[in-house]
Amino acid sequence: IIASLIFTESHAAGALPSVDGQLKLSGHVDGAIALPWQISGKLRGGLHKAAIQELDLRLGDEDHAVDFTGAAALDFGAAPRIDATLKAHQIDLDRLLTAKAAPPAMQRLVNAFGGLVQSNDLMASDMPIAVAWSADAAVLGGETLRGLSGSFSVAGKEAARLRFAASGPGGSSLSLDGTIETGIAAGFKGRILASATDVPRLSQWLH
């Protein structure tokens, strides 16, 4: 992890120290989809709250990367949490998830979702986190998905709130809104809406 920060301390009586500077973090996601990641942005805050503006998130390496922009708010008070919003113009999942001797991108996503459901710990950080994201388009399985949006929030190890919506090939659309639960009753519980005007084309893409 690399961090570059400029610390400033107020001269006002009783004031708390603050931080104002550039933040750079990097790491690696493990699991069914292993990817390096980098985060950078302008960090400003104090002991109880902080905000990251002009946030840039990159998933993947230089040759297989997806970039998001957005912002994040961090609350370190009595009910600590992280709230973030992310947006991308286009996500090339076929390129991002290409790896030697690995299954196709769509199969890797299915495997990752299955692994998430079977996990005993859904917490991605030590703090509850909520992320809302969107993308104008995404390439998956050689087809283009449009109008993607979603969110996920995790406040404990055994359940996560998930929302997703997108339009796909064959005049198809899919929306999910519910909860991923682990443990004995592992699975997705919630509302699923799906439709298509050209079922043969959709079926060909899925297979």
Side-chain angles (χ1 to χ4, degrees), residues 1-198:
I1 296 176
I2 301 173
S4 177
L5 301 172
I6 301 174
F7 290 93
T8 62
E9 189 155 350
S10 172
H11 295 290
L16 295 173
S18 63
V19 59
D20 187 350
Q22 293 290 327
L23 173 70
K24 293 183 179 180
L25 301 172
S26 62
H28 199 276
V29 177
D30 296 320
I33 298 178
L35 293 171
W37 57 265
Q38 298 178 39
I39 292 177
S40 64
K42 292 183 177 180
L43 176 65
R44 176 174 292 179
L47 292 180
H48 300 297
K49 290 187 177 182
I52 304 175
Q53 300 296 328
E54 299 180 20
L55 186 153
D56 290 308
L57 168 63
R58 166 166 287 192
L59 298 174
D61 56 30
E62 293 296 329
D63 297 324
H64 309 83
V66 168
D67 294 301
F68 288 88
T69 59
L74 297 83
D75 190 331
F76 309 114
R81 63 180 287 114
I82 302 171
D83 290 280
T85 57
L86 300 171
K87 181 175 177 57
H89 174 58
Q90 179 165 303
I91 304 171
D92 192 337
L93 293 171
D94 287 342
R95 185 176 180 85
L96 176 68
L97 301 180
T98 295
K100 187 176 181 180
M106 191 177 301
Q107 185 60 52
R108 294 189 71 187
L109 287 176
V110 171
N111 294 345
F113 184 80
L116 186 65
V117 171
Q118 296 300 321
S119 170
N120 293 321
D121 187 355
L122 296 175
M123 291 290 286
S125 69
D126 294 332
M127 295 171 62
I129 183 170
V131 177
W133 64 273
S134 63
D136 296 331
V139 177
L140 177 62
E143 295 279 3
T144 300
L145 310 179
R146 300 192 181 279
L148 297 91
S149 66
S151 65
F152 65 88
S153 58
V154 183
K157 294 182 177 181
E158 298 181 352
R161 185 74 184 178
L162 175 69
R163 182 180 60 81
F164 172 81
S167 298
S172 62
S173 64
L174 173 66
S175 66
L176 308 173
D177 190 351
T179 302
I180 297 175
E181 296 185 3
T182 64
I184 298 176
F188 175 81
K189 297 180 180 180
R191 180 174 59 89
I192 301 176
L193 297 176
S195 64
T197 58
D198 189 343

